[in-house]
Amino acid sequence: MKGKIIKLPDPEKHLDFPLMEALERRRSIRKWKNLPLPEQELSNLLWAACGITKEKYGKVKSKRTAPSACNSQEIRIYVIAEEGVFLYDEENHQLIKTVSRDIRKEIGTQKMMKAAPLGLVFVADLSRMKSPFLRSEEAKRFSAWVDTGYVSQNVYLYCAATGLGTVVLSLVDRDKLHHLMKLGEEEKIVLTQVVGHSG
Ligand SMILES: Cc1cc2nc3c(=O)[nH]c(=O)nc-3n(C[C@H](O)[C@H](O)[C@H](O)COP(=O)(O)O)c2cc1C
């Protein structure tokens, strides 16, 4: 059912894995088992990617695990799973279903990506880029790409530390995916990233 909310379990923030080893192990993996990620794993992964680390206070905005230009926090994550498409609502650490269709075959255009068990789609919500320093289209575009890089690297490091396989993708049919995901005009797909149990 569209609009359905899935409250995620609290993220486990005490993962005991050395950061330097995660950096050493970080790798792009392109083979996965067709197994779903447990909810706790997804909760940890999304929080690591761009979860809230400091709640908003009055007019002071919240902070996230990933930096963003002028703290715009414009990169939103959509999760593409077998059950459909879900928006990660980081303020409430929950998923909101936006599409009830399995569109995993569209996460990437390479043949091997058709077997992707789960995809993250990094979408820049331009309506969140309100700073005067980000007025031009060029500034918006550059910042969105850079900010996506931080989120993606957080995913890479979480996967390296937990033994999951992941790869970030720019070979994506963005127009098709935008249409299938029913995104708004201000929402621009930057990159996607496959995550799963390594095959
Ligand atoms: C912006 C960006 C786009 C990428 N797009 C793809 C892609 O579409 N398909 C793919 O298989 N790998 C993609 N990669 C992964 C790179 O091929 C990979 O990072 C590189 O070969 C180095 O390997 P490593 O990540 O294992 O160190 C992309 C990486 C980045 C940073």
Side-chain angles (χ1 to χ4, degrees), residues 26-28 30 110 113 145 156 167-171 191:
R26 188 215 58 80
R27 210 43 81 231
S28 294
R30 297 175 181 80
Q110 289 154 282
M113 302 308 164
W145 274 80
Y156 264 109
V167 63
V168 70
L169 306 177
S170 58
L171 294 174
L191 296 167

Side-chain angles (χ1 to χ4, degrees), residues 6-9 37-44 95:
I6 301 173
K7 190 88 195 127
L8 293 166
L37 284 192
E39 239 177 45
Q40 185 65 60
E41 191 86 83
L42 192 56
S43 161
N44 296 353
L95 292 171

Side-chain angles (χ1 to χ4, degrees), residues 84-130:
V85 182
F86 301 82
L87 173 65
Y88 176 46
D89 165 12
E90 63 272 21
E91 293 283 348
N92 300 297
H93 197 60
Q94 63 190 14
L95 292 171
I96 304 166
K97 196 172 202 179
T98 57
V99 171
S100 302
R101 217 181 123 186
D102 184 357
I103 58 166
R104 288 178 296 168
K105 284 195 167 54
E106 308 302 334
I107 293 166
T109 54
Q110 289 154 282
K111 202 170 169 198
M112 68 189 85
M113 302 308 164
K114 305 296 165 204
L118 182 132
L120 306 177
V121 185
F122 304 124
V123 173
D125 180 352
L126 302 188
S127 70
R128 286 186 167 198
M129 300 181 100
K130 294 201 178 88

Side-chain angles (χ1 to χ4, degrees), residues 13-196:
K13 297 182 188 170
H14 300 286
L15 178 64
D16 187 15
F17 196 91
L19 172 64
M20 298 302 258
E21 208 175 319
L23 285 163
E24 189 160 50
R25 283 196 193 183
R26 188 215 58 80
R27 210 43 81 231
S28 294
I29 304 289
R30 297 175 181 80
K31 248 185 154 184
W32 310 272
K33 293 181 185 134
N34 190 16
L35 288 174
L37 284 192
E39 239 177 45
Q40 185 65 60
E41 191 86 83
L42 192 56
S43 161
N44 296 353
L45 177 77
L46 292 169
W47 183 82
C50 65
I52 302 292
T53 51
K54 197 169 176 206
E55 299 289 330
K56 66 179 171 205
Y57 181 73
K59 281 189 178 157
V60 181
K61 274 175 87 171
S62 57
K63 298 280 187 189
R64 310 202 294 181
T65 56
S68 60
C70 306
N71 197 20
S72 303
Q73 303 184 10
E74 80 283 7
I75 304 304
R76 311 295 311 274
I77 298 185
Y78 284 85
V79 178
I80 297 188
E82 188 177 6
E83 301 78 19
V85 182
F86 301 82
L87 173 65
Y88 176 46
D89 165 12
E90 63 272 21
E91 293 283 348
N92 300 297
H93 197 60
Q94 63 190 14
L95 292 171
I96 304 166
K97 196 172 202 179
T98 57
V99 171
S100 302
R101 217 181 123 186
D102 184 357
I103 58 166
R104 288 178 296 168
K105 284 195 167 54
E106 308 302 334
I107 293 166
T109 54
Q110 289 154 282
K111 202 170 169 198
M112 68 189 85
M113 302 308 164
K114 305 296 165 204
L118 182 132
L120 306 177
V121 185
F122 304 124
V123 173
D125 180 352
L126 302 188
S127 70
R128 286 186 167 198
M129 300 181 100
K130 294 201 178 88
S131 162
F133 298 110
L134 301 172
R135 210 171 276 143
S136 73
E137 280 311 306
E138 194 188 31
K140 283 194 177 72
R141 192 188 302 254
F142 277 136
S143 300
W145 274 80
V146 170
D147 295 347
T148 296
Y150 293 110
V151 177
S152 167
Q153 178 74 347
N154 284 349
V155 172
Y156 264 109
L157 291 179
Y158 178 79
C159 289
T162 56
L164 290 170
T166 191
V167 63
V168 70
L169 306 177
S170 58
L171 294 174
V172 177
D173 186 338
R174 291 179 178 76
D175 289 343
K176 188 172 185 185
L177 199 51
H178 189 278
H179 172 73
L180 289 170
M181 289 173 66
K182 303 189 168 123
L183 296 176
E185 235 173 75
E186 297 267 74
E187 292 183 291
K188 306 289 178 198
I189 294 172
V190 184
L191 296 167
T192 68
Q193 187 152 353
V194 184
V195 179

